[in-house]
Amino acid sequence: MTNVENFTVDDLDDTMIKGSIVKSTIEQLYLLGNVGKEILSTVDLPKIDVAKLYHRSLRGKIHQTIIDRFGPEALFYLGFEQFEQKFLDYLYKDWHGISLTNVKKSHVKNHEDNLFESQMIFRKIVLDALVEFHTRSGLNVIFAREDKASAGYNILSDDSVVYRIKNAVYNGHHEFNRGSLVKQLNSFLGDFWEITVTSEVDKFVFTSGLTDNYFKIVFSYKKKKESLNKVMLRMQTEAKDNFLKEVLNASDRERKLAI
C-alpha cells in the first residue's frame, strides 16, 4: 500500500480520470472562497490539462482533505453543486432529440385526468436517464483495468428503489455521489415528489479499480405541487448551511486546540 495524505491507495490501483474531473473539483473549491483556497493549499496539485489522464488519487486527496477538515456534509455539498440544475436536460436532448423538461410537459398534458400516473411514468424516465448519464459519461472520463463505470437500479416497491453508481470515488467518499444524486433527482422530480436518498453502506463494494455505491431512494407523492425553483433553492440553501456549520465547528475546534 502507498500512503497518500490521510488515505491509502492499493498498489494495483491504476484507475485514471480525465483532467476535466480534477479541474471541475478545483473550480468548485474556488467557489467556496477562502475556505476552498485553504483546502487547495494543503494538496500538492500539478497544472491540470483537461485532456490528460491523472490517477484518481489526485481528486481523492482533495476529497479526503475536505472530510478530515469539515466532515462528510462538506463533501455532500460539493456533490450537490457538481452540476448545473438542468445539465441533464441538455444531455438528454442531445441523446434523444427532446429535453427531459419537454418530456415532462408532454406527460402532464397527455395525462391530465391522472396526474399521479403521469409522474410515475416520468419518474422512471428520469431514473433511466440518470443510468444513461452515469454510464455514458463515466466511460468517457474514467478508465480502470478490467472495469468500467456504470449505473443501474432495482425496484423494491412502487415508491422505493436501490440505485447503484460504479465510479472512481474512494471508500468513505460516497457523500459526494449522494449529494450529486439528490440534486439530479430533485431537479426534475422535486415539485411532485418528496425524495429521500440514504447510503446503503453495507452493500458498497470496493476494489482496486472502481467503487460500487448503493443508495436507497424513497419517493413520497406530495399532496400539493411545489415550485421546482423554490424546492431547489431551499435544498441548495440547506446543503450550503450544513457545510458552513461544519466550517464554523472546525474553526472552533482549531481555536480550542490553539488555546
Side-chain angles (χ1 to χ4, degrees), residues 86-116:
K86 292 294 184 180
F87 89 100
L88 191 57
D89 231 12
Y90 311 132
L91 292 178
Y92 196 84
K93 188 173 183 179
D94 285 342
W95 299 333
H96 302 281
I98 183 173
S99 68
L100 277 172
T101 298
N102 285 332
V103 169
K104 184 174 187 175
K105 289 178 181 178
S106 176
H107 273 282
V108 170
K109 184 177 180 180
N110 294 333
H111 296 81
E112 291 179 345
D113 56 331
N114 194 336
L115 189 59
F116 174 74

Side-chain angles (χ1 to χ4, degrees), residues 3 9 30 40 49 58 63 73 85 103 115 123 128 134 146 148 153 166 171 199 208 210 222 249 254 259:
N3 286 322
V9 178
Y30 277 123
L40 287 172
D49 183 335
L58 193 59
H63 283 180
E73 287 287 355
Q85 183 175 334
V103 169
L115 189 59
R123 194 176 75 183
D128 290 339
H134 284 126
E146 300 178 0
K148 291 181 179 179
Y153 63 90
K166 176 179 277 193
N171 184 0
S199 303
S208 59
L210 300 177
K222 293 181 177 179
N249 288 339
E254 290 173 1
I259 293 174

Side-chain angles (χ1 to χ4, degrees), residues 84-86 182-190 228 232:
E84 294 179 14
Q85 183 175 334
K86 292 294 184 180
V182 165
K183 181 172 185 177
Q184 293 172 72
L185 287 167
N186 279 281
S187 291
F188 297 96
L189 303 173
L228 201 53
M232 295 311 298

Side-chain angles (χ1 to χ4, degrees), residues 144-158:
R145 178 169 40 192
E146 300 178 0
D147 208 352
K148 291 181 179 179
S150 64
Y153 63 90
N154 293 322
I155 298 173
L156 301 179
S157 66
D158 286 345

